[in-house]
Amino acid sequence: MIAEVTNHLWQSTVFAIAVGFLTLAFRKNRAQVRYWLWLSASVKFLIPFSLLMSLGHELLGSLPAGKMVISAPRLSGTIVLITQPFPDILTVEPAAQHATHWIPIVILGIWACGFSAVALMRFRAWLRVRAALRASTPIGIPAAVPVRSCPGLLEPGVVGFLRSTVLLPEGILKTLTRTQMEAVLAHELSHARRRDNLTAAIHMIVEAVFWFYPLVWWIGARLIEERERACDE
């Protein structure tokens, strides 16, 4: 199991590095393009290459013989090598085998503690959002989604996955000009239209499962950066 996880991690790392080079190539394009590239790197952590290879074999097997496409041997050989697990080079003496039985249990326990900590952190944040939504009051602003005012809120935001709601700090209408308010609403409505909360939740799952891997958190920072740029654009 440890070998399979390690194999999956380095495969996903190679994929993320390739995505990083693609974002550099698309640095002059819209931020939305780079955002979806980084999201694909995030989702890759949830999809092992072995599953992709099995799906590919199923698709190739369903094609008629006359339409079968033969890939280049060098490329297919490289893909096969990438998807192979690390070989078991080291041999364990019988006396040490009993001691190594505890290693997976300890590793699983550490992972479970980290997973629980991240999940608890996300759950507490969700409870704060729910409390803010319950304490909010509707504002008579015509928009594609409901707009509400919330006391104690520090900055505007969008809550909800399928039915989004824009929350504004109480009194913001008195501090911003009409043009500034329109810009704020346009930005937040862009988040709602893009379903950014839903895609952010997907990466939160990745962060909870792979909390021990710094690359996952770095990808999360890139997603936030490109998401905000996309809404500004």
Side-chain angles (χ1 to χ4, degrees):
M1 178 179 178
I2 297 177
E4 294 176 354
V5 173
T6 305
N7 192 49
H8 173 64
L9 282 178
W10 82 265
Q11 291 171 1
S12 300
T13 301
V14 172
F15 187 87
I17 292 173
V19 167
F21 282 111
L22 279 177
T23 57
L24 291 177
F26 288 102
R27 61 182 179 273
K28 294 184 179 180
N29 289 67
R30 298 182 62 186
Q32 182 176 356
V33 176
R34 298 188 297 274
Y35 175 79
W36 285 108
L37 285 172
W38 284 121
L39 184 62
S40 68
S42 172
V43 174
K44 172 61 191 71
F45 278 89
L46 299 177
I47 305 177
F49 261 130
S50 58
L51 176 59
L52 295 178
M53 290 295 292
S54 62
L55 290 176
H57 286 306
E58 290 292 334
L59 291 176
L60 289 176
S62 63
L63 290 175
K67 296 183 179 180
M68 186 71 70
V69 179
I70 306 299
S71 59
R74 183 176 301 177
L75 179 59
S76 61
T78 303
I79 295 176
V80 170
L81 286 175
I82 290 177
T83 56
Q84 292 299 318
F86 291 121
D88 296 330
I89 300 176
L90 299 178
T91 58
V92 183
E93 295 295 333
Q97 289 182 357
H98 180 72
T100 57
H101 289 169
W102 290 97
I103 296 178
I105 298 176
V106 173
I107 293 177
L108 181 61
I110 295 174
W111 174 85
C113 291
F115 176 83
S116 301
V118 175
L120 180 61
M121 179 180 64
R122 300 302 186 190
F123 180 70
R124 293 180 62 181
W126 178 78
L127 290 179
R128 289 194 296 267
V129 170
R130 293 293 298 176
L133 185 61
R134 288 194 298 267
S136 64
T137 55
I139 304 178
I141 297 179
V145 300
V147 181
R148 302 174 68 91
S149 174
C150 178
L153 194 67
L154 298 179
E155 60 182 11
V158 176
V159 299
F161 299 113
L162 301 178
R163 293 183 297 178
S164 302
T165 301
V166 175
L167 290 183
L168 300 176
E170 191 176 38
I172 191 174
L173 296 177
K174 300 178 181 177
T175 59
L176 298 182
T177 65
R178 180 182 180 86
T179 303
Q180 292 172 334
M181 194 65 224
E182 290 177 350
V184 169
L185 280 177
H187 180 96
E188 300 304 329
L189 290 175
S190 180
H191 280 301
R193 184 172 58 253
R194 288 161 41 88
R195 302 292 184 185
D196 282 338
N197 285 351
L198 184 59
T199 54
I202 294 175
H203 186 71
M204 287 180 185
I205 297 175
V206 177
E207 289 179 337
V209 175
F210 299 95
W211 58 268
F212 54 89
Y213 203 43
L215 180 61
V216 167
W217 298 92
W218 187 80
I219 292 175
R222 303 286 73 75
L223 283 170
I224 295 175
E225 180 181 351
E226 298 299 347
R227 181 171 65 220
E228 296 302 321
R229 287 180 178 175
C231 290
D232 288 341
E233 291 177 355

